[in-house]
Amino acid sequence: MNIQDIVVSSRIRFARNVNSLPFPHLLKGDEPKLQEFLNTVQSVCASKFDGDLFTVNNILIGGKVREGVDDYILNMLIENHLISPALGRSELGGAIISKDKSISIMFNEEDHLREQCILDGFRLKEAYERLLEVDLALHDRLDIAYKKGLGHLTACPTNLGAGMRASVMMFLPALELCGDLRRLIKKYASEDVTIRGVYGEGSEAKGFMYQISNQSAVGWSESQIIDKMESIVKELCRFEEQARRAIWDRKGVDLEDQIMRAYGTLLFARVLGSDEFMINIASVKLGVGYGLLKLDIPVINRLIPKVLPYTLSVNAGKALSPHERDVLRAKIVRDTLLEVKR
C-alpha cells in the first residue's frame, strides 16, 4: 500500500510570543507596541513569501486601516485550514497567507504568532524546513519570549519549550470500522500524542480523516518531535493496512459493491449534499487503496476543500443557497472524477 493513500497532508506549527505585549486575550488594541509588532510581522512575511493579508476586524497595519474580511471568506479560510476557528473569533486577529496556501502566519490568536506550513502528503521535514526560514527571520526582528530552562513561552503550558506541533492528517477508515481506533487513541495518549478530528480538538472526523499530533512540546526538541511523529504515522499506516485486509477478508464482494455504488453516485449525481459527498468520497478513496479504482488520490484530497460550503460560495463570487451549492458541488465532483481517471 502506498503511504500517500493514507496520509493526506503534513503540518508544522510554531507558537511564538513577544516580550513587549500581554498575551492576546489580554490585549486592548491600543498598546503602543501592538502597531510596531503588526508592522514588523507584515514586513518580515513580505520579505520571505508572496502573500495576502486577511484580518478578522478592521485593524491599523502599516499606517492604514485593513478592513476585516466578510464571514464567507473567514469561514472559507477555516474550512481550508488556513486559519484556526479560534482566530476567527479574535478581535485583533488576522493572518498573512502565501499565494500557494502552504504558509500561514496567524497573529493574535491564542499566541501573538501561530506560524504554520501545510504540505500535501507525508512531508513533515520539508514543512519544517520551509517554516523555519520564516520563523528565524521573525526571531531576528522581534523580541521573542524565551526563557532558559523553559524554552519558548506560550499562552498554553503544553506548548512550552519547542512551541511546536507536528501534525499529520490521515485517512483511517478501516481502523475506525474495525473498532481499533479507540484503543489506539488511548495507546498514543500515553505517549503524549493525540488523535483528533479534522479541525482539531472537539471536531468530527469527517470522511474518516484524523489529525495526529504531539500533545506537548515540553522537554522535546524540534527534531525529536518530528522523529516521534514520523514513527507513529508509519505505525498507524501499518495498522490501517492490516485492518483493510481484515475487512476485505470479512466483507469481500459486499465491500466492493459499496465502493462501486459510491463511485457511481459521485460520477452521475446532479445534486450532492456535503455529508453525502463526504461519505461517498471516503468509500471511493478506500476503493483506490484496494486497487478497485484507478484514480489520483492527491487530486481527490485537493477536491474535498473545494466543495465545502463557504469555499463554494467564495469561488462562485456570491452567496449560494444550499441547493445551489449542492448542484455546483455535484458538477465539480463529476468533472474532477472524469479528469483523474487513470
Side-chain angles (χ1 to χ4, degrees), residues 220-236:
W220 292 31
S221 70
E222 293 170 354
S223 61
Q224 286 174 328
I225 291 172
I226 292 174
D227 289 345
K228 177 73 171 179
M229 292 308 303
E230 286 188 337
S231 174
I232 286 176
V233 167
K234 290 174 183 176
E235 185 175 60
L236 273 170

Side-chain angles (χ1 to χ4, degrees), residues 18 37 49 62 105 127 137 144 156 183 200 215 223-224 242 274 285 307 309:
V18 296
F37 164 69
F49 60 84
I105 307 299
I144 298 294
C156 179
R183 174 182 60 82
Q215 178 70 26
S223 61
Q224 286 174 328
Q242 292 166 7
S274 183
K285 288 174 63 178
V307 297

Side-chain angles (χ1 to χ4, degrees), residues 21-31 34 37 92 108 112:
L21 292 170
F23 283 128
H25 70 281
L26 296 174
L27 283 173
K28 297 178 181 178
D30 58 355
E31 291 85 353
L34 179 59
F37 164 69
L92 299 168
N108 294 334
H112 294 134

Side-chain angles (χ1 to χ4, degrees), residues 204 206 272-281 329:
E204 297 179 69
K206 294 185 177 181
L272 189 62
S274 183
D275 289 342
E276 184 182 14
F277 165 73
M278 290 302 297
I279 291 168
N280 286 301
I281 201 68
R329 180 181 296 110

Side-chain angles (χ1 to χ4, degrees), residues 76-143:
M76 180 269 291
L77 295 173
I78 294 171
E79 284 180 342
N80 286 266
H81 301 278
L82 296 171
I83 66 170
S84 65
L87 184 69
R89 299 187 294 271
S90 170
E91 288 294 321
L92 299 168
I96 301 170
I97 301 171
S98 64
K99 295 288 189 183
D100 66 2
K101 307 297 191 292
S102 65
I103 293 178
S104 174
I105 307 299
M106 291 175 274
F107 51 85
N108 294 334
E109 191 230 37
E110 183 177 79
D111 295 285
H112 294 134
L113 289 171
R114 284 289 178 96
E115 313 160 23
Q116 72 171 31
C117 179
I118 301 179
L119 299 177
D120 291 345
F122 193 26
R123 300 157 69 190
L124 277 176
K125 287 180 179 174
E126 183 180 345
Y128 170 75
E129 290 167 358
R130 287 197 192 185
L131 190 59
L132 184 61
E133 184 178 347
V134 181
D135 185 58
L136 291 174
L138 288 165
H139 272 73
D140 285 343
R141 297 277 303 278
L142 295 169
D143 182 18

